[in-house]
Amino acid sequence: MPVAVAALAQCTLFSGISSQLVQQTADSMRLLPLRRREVLADAAASLPGLGVVLSGALQAVDETADGKEVALETVGVNEAFGFAELLAARSLPVTWMAAVAGTTVGLLPRGPAMALLHQPEVALRAAQSLAQRVCDTRGLQKVLTIHPVSARVCAWLNLQRTPEKGAVQVPTHAELAWQLNTTRESVTRVFQRLQADG
């Protein structure tokens, strides 16, 4: 089933792009509804193109050395994903899976996706998206150097608070614990303390 142009036009990758290019891309995409935790692409078979989350959320998931599942990246509504798999010479193999029930993605096959990324206006948006992810990763690396854990959680919250973002979107305590190299219980205790202190 093809993707509706109106749905695709909401994606940040396509905002301000010519309607003809959006239409062409929408016609080439497949609409894929996913159940919660349903796998779109596993680590053994890399993502077969460029995707857009149309509803719900998608996560890039991997396992730690001790076998625990962790979410490396969460992609929300109207966000594109799969740039790294398409463009990097050595991308990190991950499993893409639906984070919530009712997740729907539009997936553009590899060939048309590469052709799309050769369009200057789309290439610039893709570069901006990747640059933001690099900056976010650098910010997180800076936060990881902070001790104790309570200060690390507060530094993460401070990093997330910017005027353009508005309210801070906090992932699950387990996801945040993984990002901050601590335990879910420690994150929960810090949030309980912050709430008690107002």
Side-chain angles (χ1 to χ4, degrees), residues 29-78:
M29 279 187 151
R30 288 185 342 217
L31 191 64
L32 301 167
L34 302 168
R35 297 178 310 277
R36 183 178 183 277
R37 297 194 51 79
E38 184 175 352
V39 173
L40 174 65
D42 66 17
S46 63
L47 187 66
L50 182 68
V52 174
V53 176
L54 301 171
S55 67
L58 199 68
Q59 289 183 323
V61 178
D62 201 1
E63 284 189 2
T64 60
D66 59 356
K68 293 180 184 170
E69 184 181 274
V70 292
L72 300 175
E73 178 182 0
T74 301
V75 183
V77 176
N78 297 327

Side-chain angles (χ1 to χ4, degrees), residues 161-180:
R161 288 177 34 184
T162 61
E164 62 273 5
K165 283 186 181 176
V168 175
Q169 292 294 108
V170 179
T172 67
H173 290 188
E175 289 174 7
L176 185 56
W178 178 82
Q179 288 180 27
L180 299 179

